[in-house]
Amino acid sequence: MGSLRRVRRRLLWSLGLLFVIAMVLAGPLAGALDVRATLRIVAVAIALPVVMSLLARRVMTPTEELAASHDRLQRLYDQARLDALIDPISGLGNHRAFQEELTRQIDDARRHGHSLALALVDLDDLKRINDEEGHAGGDDVLGSMGRLISAASRAADRGFRIGGDEFALLLPKADAEMATMVMRRLLGSALNAESPRPGTRGFSFSAGLSAYPSPASDGQRLFRQADAALYWAKKHGRTDVQAFDPERHGAADDGRSTVELAEAVMEVATRRALRPVYQTIYDLRSGAPVGFEGLVRPAEDSGFRNAQSLFVAAEAAERTVELDLVCVETVAAGAKLPDSSTYLALNVSPRTLETEQFRVADLLAILAPYGIPPTRVVLEITEREAIEDLGRLRENLERCRAEGIRIAADDVGAGNAGLRLLSEIRFDIVKIDLSLVQRGALRDSALAVLRAIRDIGHQSGAMVVAEGIESADQLEVVRALDLVAGQGYLLGMPEDEIDAESLDLDSLLAAHEARLRSLGGFLDLWSTDDRPAKRPTPDVVQPTEPETPLVEATEAIAQERPMGAQGSATVAATSAPATTRSRSRRRKTAEDPA
């Protein structure tokens, strides 16, 4: 807009100058001409700049309007991006912001030769608090933890809430010893903190930490080591701070060589040491199941604590393709689909689909023993991973489509590649990322982005699915936007077996409203401006549901698939309506065993 105003001013000055020049040139002639001729010259000198000014205005006005519209869209985009990086409950950055900041700080530490410490924090007994005091009690603790981190941190430190009850703290120019002192002081402050919950005082947490460049040599290893130390602290009494020790925590960390990782991954693939769980996707109009998302978990004796460590190891050892195909078979084998017409969707890493190793025939050969024809298969392509070879990806997807396989875009809105993919590849299904779904009920900017993605999906004839529905207001928003289907912990937890029963969504909303009224004004969960938009844990693509204890929900899916869905296998199947069942039956699945 500023540049356009300068152009307008310069144009007006030029027209004024043109008038002056015309008058100066006409001056000598005025004495030699009669009055009529002189007036004619003056009239032309005046009219010419006026006409040119009007023509210029007709050109400049639409241009300025277009620039103003561009500025408004830019502000809307900037606000939506900011909203997508902040966790409303704690006021800290969310998991996505943590990933970006970790990468930036590792690069900065490497460039300038200083250290960087990472502490991962897991709140203790949040499940019990949710059970005894409701979701608002858990929110109080989460908010207190966020305020405590903000108050106790240095200006250069950065705090994040990266999961249901998980936090992270980046401490630049700090080694493991200094970070241990900081976290122990933070733990002491938490134990003595004033609590807004009546009759209670303080809370506790467990923490694990590591530092770069020693003992961690890169960002990925830094996170894994801190996570390994946290896992040990949680398994040995909690309310503790553990700095990574290779001898003590090495068994939980993937500090193995590439050869050892490759052997371990291939052993998991060979032994099929995986098991699937499924989460239902519902028709948001009728409440009937339209699909089932399947996730894999490594067996206890697999050598990997969770799916994240397994797929990180597979990527490091370049065994993603082999593991992906085994995950596809695991999910397909466990999918006892309803008798009605169904569509089975397999979430495969783009890196698998980009490789020369991927063969459509191999995929069909895996599915054939379970009676799944290609016309009933959907491949979900996640947006969270960068696409390195779009040409090969498109070629492999077209081969799949030629066999009758449908294509879905997963996690649209989670990163920057989604719109490019939507413009480059024709999708049959578009799944909107949970961060947009959750903030659409809170922020007008996020709601505008939701509408835009919905319109793109409708214009292309794709079915639009909302992921991460965890509250009643979010459900109402996505239904009002005419999104066809949705999933999330408000609707159902992951289960060991496919559950094809329908939900009465209207009754669910009515029961929730009645519950809020019965609690009076104390738990006004859905009307405040700072309602939570839960972020997933590094292993999770879904948030915890407001009515479900956060620890139960986090532990139930913490081993489902790695951050960014790398190599994870996902199942979605479309089925006809079945009998409606009550919410109480679904609540029993909240404590899904790991």
Side-chain angles (χ1 to χ4, degrees), residues 483-494:
L483 300 187
V484 175
Q487 66 187 104
Y489 285 119
L490 179 68
L491 306 178
M493 295 285 292

Side-chain angles (χ1 to χ4, degrees), residues 214-272:
S214 176
S217 57
D218 54 46
Q220 192 176 73
R221 194 173 296 273
L222 177 66
F223 182 89
R224 293 205 307 265
Q225 289 179 356
D227 189 49
L230 171 61
Y231 180 74
W232 194 94
K234 290 165 60 178
K235 290 295 183 180
H236 293 79
R238 301 193 176 191
T239 315
D240 189 17
V241 175
Q242 285 284 320
F244 178 76
D245 180 348
E247 295 184 2
R248 175 179 290 181
H249 310 128
D253 179 52
D254 282 334
R256 293 169 281 186
S257 67
T258 301
V259 174
E260 292 172 331
L261 288 176
E263 292 176 351
V265 171
M266 292 310 297
E267 182 180 359
V268 170
T270 302
R271 294 196 300 113
R272 303 297 194 266

Side-chain angles (χ1 to χ4, degrees), residues 48 73 265 287 318 339 341 349 372 413 512:
L48 183 60
L73 289 174
V265 171
E318 298 183 351
D339 295 334
S341 177
S349 167
I372 305 174
H512 190 77

Side-chain angles (χ1 to χ4, degrees), residues 114-134:
H114 62 72
S115 60
L116 172 68
L118 167 65
L120 296 180
V121 176
D122 195 36
L123 296 178
D124 298 332
D125 298 324
L126 196 59
K127 172 185 176 298
R128 177 183 56 79
I129 295 173
N130 277 279
D131 284 342
E132 295 177 356
E133 305 177 30

Side-chain angles (χ1 to χ4, degrees), residues 311-361:
F311 284 105
V312 167
E315 182 179 352
E318 298 183 351
R319 291 291 185 268
T320 302
V321 176
E322 294 90 335
L323 185 59
D324 261 357
L325 294 179
V326 172
C327 290
V328 167
E329 182 174 7
T330 300
V331 172
K336 303 299 187 294
L337 300 175
D339 295 334
S340 57
S341 177
T342 60
Y343 291 96
L344 184 67
L346 305 170
N347 190 335
V348 180
S349 167
R351 293 177 182 174
T352 294
L353 295 171
E354 290 173 337
T355 64
E356 296 181 356
Q357 299 170 267
F358 178 78
R359 297 286 185 273
V360 179

Side-chain angles (χ1 to χ4, degrees), residues 512-532:
H512 190 77
E513 292 173 0
R515 176 176 176 269
L516 293 182
R517 287 194 299 270
S518 68
L519 293 174
F522 181 66
L523 295 180
D524 188 15
L525 297 181
W526 314 116
S527 61
T528 56
D529 292 334
D530 60 345
R531 285 311 311 150

